[in-house]
């Protein structure tokens, strides 16, 4: 049977390559909700499954998806759609990174938004070292837009510490210089003051994005939402700074509308953006 062509106002297709976080506060679940809220057709390739352990302080139980199964998902996706815009979230192992880097090299998507998840709450720092190294070496050079949080900005910039917006601005520039990507470095609740400030640096201009801080505790899924919303906006054709601004306002609304559960952290709700 012949396929009907997509309607002229068909939404852009945006892919997330990310992990599942079973409670729906972060990861691929969050990315797909963000894509829906942003008006793009969201699809996902799962890299790992994270199940918090309520009996052990809600630590992460982490199970990687078999590298061949990741390759299979990407094969199915790439055969169905010409992928132009990708968001990359948690990859989790060097083997996963190898598969994803190979697929990016082969497919050459125009826009690659990287949320450089170096370590998740509850993960052993030591166990993550090889993964961090592989991410820097094989994925970061393929990113066109990168959204490090405070910890990731310290790691990726090589700075001793980031204690002020000036430090974060310097870190963003260093990460841009090292990667060539547009950088949106997030201060979040980690920088003192009334506002949640992020530094945007595309190599030619630097902007400080500011929104009122909502509480002093980080909410699960805010970083995933930001990167997914940037990808969605870029997929719809926005320029990087406009995409960053729209994404930040979606995150602010999603934090404002957060939901609580029996887990010790609240989860963002993108639907609150209306
Ligand atoms: O928030 C970072 C993150 C990303 N992806 C997955 C996660 C987490 C943190 O819990 O579980 C799958």
């Amino acid at each position: 049977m012949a396929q009907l062509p997509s309607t002229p106002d068909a939404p852009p297709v945006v892919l997330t390559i990310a992990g599942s976080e079973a409670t729906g506060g972060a990861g691929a679940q969050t990315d797909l909700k963000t894509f829906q809220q942003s008006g793009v057709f969201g699809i996902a390739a799962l890299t790992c499954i994270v199940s918090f352990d309520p009996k052990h302080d809600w630590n992460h139980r982490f199970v990687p998806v078999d590298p061949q199964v990741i390759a299979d998902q990407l094969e199915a996706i790439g055969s169905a759609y010409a992928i132009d815009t990708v968001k990359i979230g948690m990859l989790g192992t060097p083997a996963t990174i190898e598969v994803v880097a190979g697929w990016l090299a082969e497919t050459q998507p125009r826009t690659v938004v990287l949320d450089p998840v170096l370590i998740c709450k509850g993960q052993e720092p030591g166990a993550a070292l090889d993964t961090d190294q592989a991410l820097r070496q094989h994925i970061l050079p393929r990113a066109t837009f990168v959204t490090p949080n405070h910890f990731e900005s310290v790691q990726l910039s090589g700075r001793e510490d980031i204690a002020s917006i000036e430090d974060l601005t310097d870190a963003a520039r260093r990460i841009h210089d090292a990667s060539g990507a547009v950088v949106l470095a997030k201060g979040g609740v980690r920088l003192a003051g009334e506002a949640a400030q992020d530094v945007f640096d595309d190599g030619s201009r630097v902007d400080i994005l500011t929104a009122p801080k909502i509480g002093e505790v980080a909410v699960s899924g805010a970083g995933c939402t930001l990167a997914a919303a940037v990808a969605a906006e870029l997929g719809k054709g926005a320029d990087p700074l406009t995409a960053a601004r729209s994404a930040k306002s979606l995150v602010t609304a999603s934090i404002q509308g957060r939901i609580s559960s029996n887990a010790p952290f609240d989860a963002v709700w993108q639907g609150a953006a209306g």
Side-chain angles (χ1 to χ4, degrees):
M1 196 173 70
Q3 268 185 330
L4 289 174
S6 296
T7 55
D9 55 357
V13 175
V14 180
L15 165 66
T16 181
I17 303 176
S20 162
E21 189 279 90
T23 68
Q29 289 88 337
T30 295
D31 294 345
L32 290 174
K33 283 180 262 187
T34 303
F35 291 162
Q36 186 76 8
Q37 184 66 30
S38 305
V40 300
F41 184 86
I43 54 178
L46 288 185
T47 55
C48 59
I49 297 185
V50 171
S51 317
F52 297 139
D53 185 353
K55 292 196 198 71
H56 294 98
D57 207 18
W58 295 81
N59 278 344
H60 285 52
R61 289 176 292 199
F62 164 83
V63 177
V65 171
D66 186 299
Q68 184 57 51
V69 177
I70 300 171
D72 291 349
Q73 294 175 77
L74 292 171
E75 183 190 17
I77 289 165
S79 303
Y81 301 104
I83 295 296
D84 189 55
T85 309
V86 182
K87 182 229 147 157
I88 298 179
M90 186 168 170
L91 297 175
T93 72
T96 298
I97 287 169
E98 195 182 321
V99 171
V100 172
W103 183 81
L104 289 172
E106 195 185 298
T107 313
Q108 306 266 339
R110 195 154 43 115
T111 300
V112 177
V113 180
L114 174 64
D115 186 12
V117 182
L118 290 184
I119 184 170
C120 246
K121 297 180 226 44
Q123 226 179 333
E124 286 290 324
L129 270 183
D130 287 356
T131 305
D132 293 2
Q133 194 50 36
L135 189 84
R136 260 174 232 252
Q137 209 176 332
H138 301 298
I139 304 289
L140 190 59
R142 302 215 167 262
T144 59
F145 198 118
V146 61
T147 61
N149 65 18
H150 182 272
F151 172 77
E152 293 151 359
S153 290
V154 170
Q155 297 298 311
L156 294 176
S157 68
R159 283 188 60 98
E160 293 258 295
D161 188 22
I162 296 176
S164 65
I165 196 70
E166 291 76 25
D167 292 353
L168 190 62
T169 304
D170 175 66
R173 174 50 54 98
R174 291 186 193 202
I175 297 168
H176 169 79
D177 289 346
S179 65
V182 178
V183 179
L184 183 59
K186 302 172 280 187
V189 294
R190 297 297 308 276
L191 291 185
E194 301 279 287
Q197 291 187 306
D198 304 327
V199 176
F200 174 95
D201 188 337
D202 67 2
S204 57
R205 65 177 290 171
V206 175
D207 280 81
I208 311 292
L209 275 51
T210 300
K213 222 182 241 179
I214 307 156
E216 288 290 339
V217 180
V219 176
S220 180
C224 303
T225 302
L226 186 79
V230 166
E233 296 304 323
L234 293 173
K236 290 190 289 185
D239 64 80
L241 182 56
T242 307
R245 288 192 195 286
S246 307
K248 189 165 171 72
S249 69
L250 176 57
V251 171
T252 303
S254 305
I255 294 175
Q256 256 151 359
R258 68 194 177 276
I259 67 160
S260 56
S261 68
N262 292 322
F265 31 78
D266 292 343
V268 287
W269 164 233
Q270 295 77 11

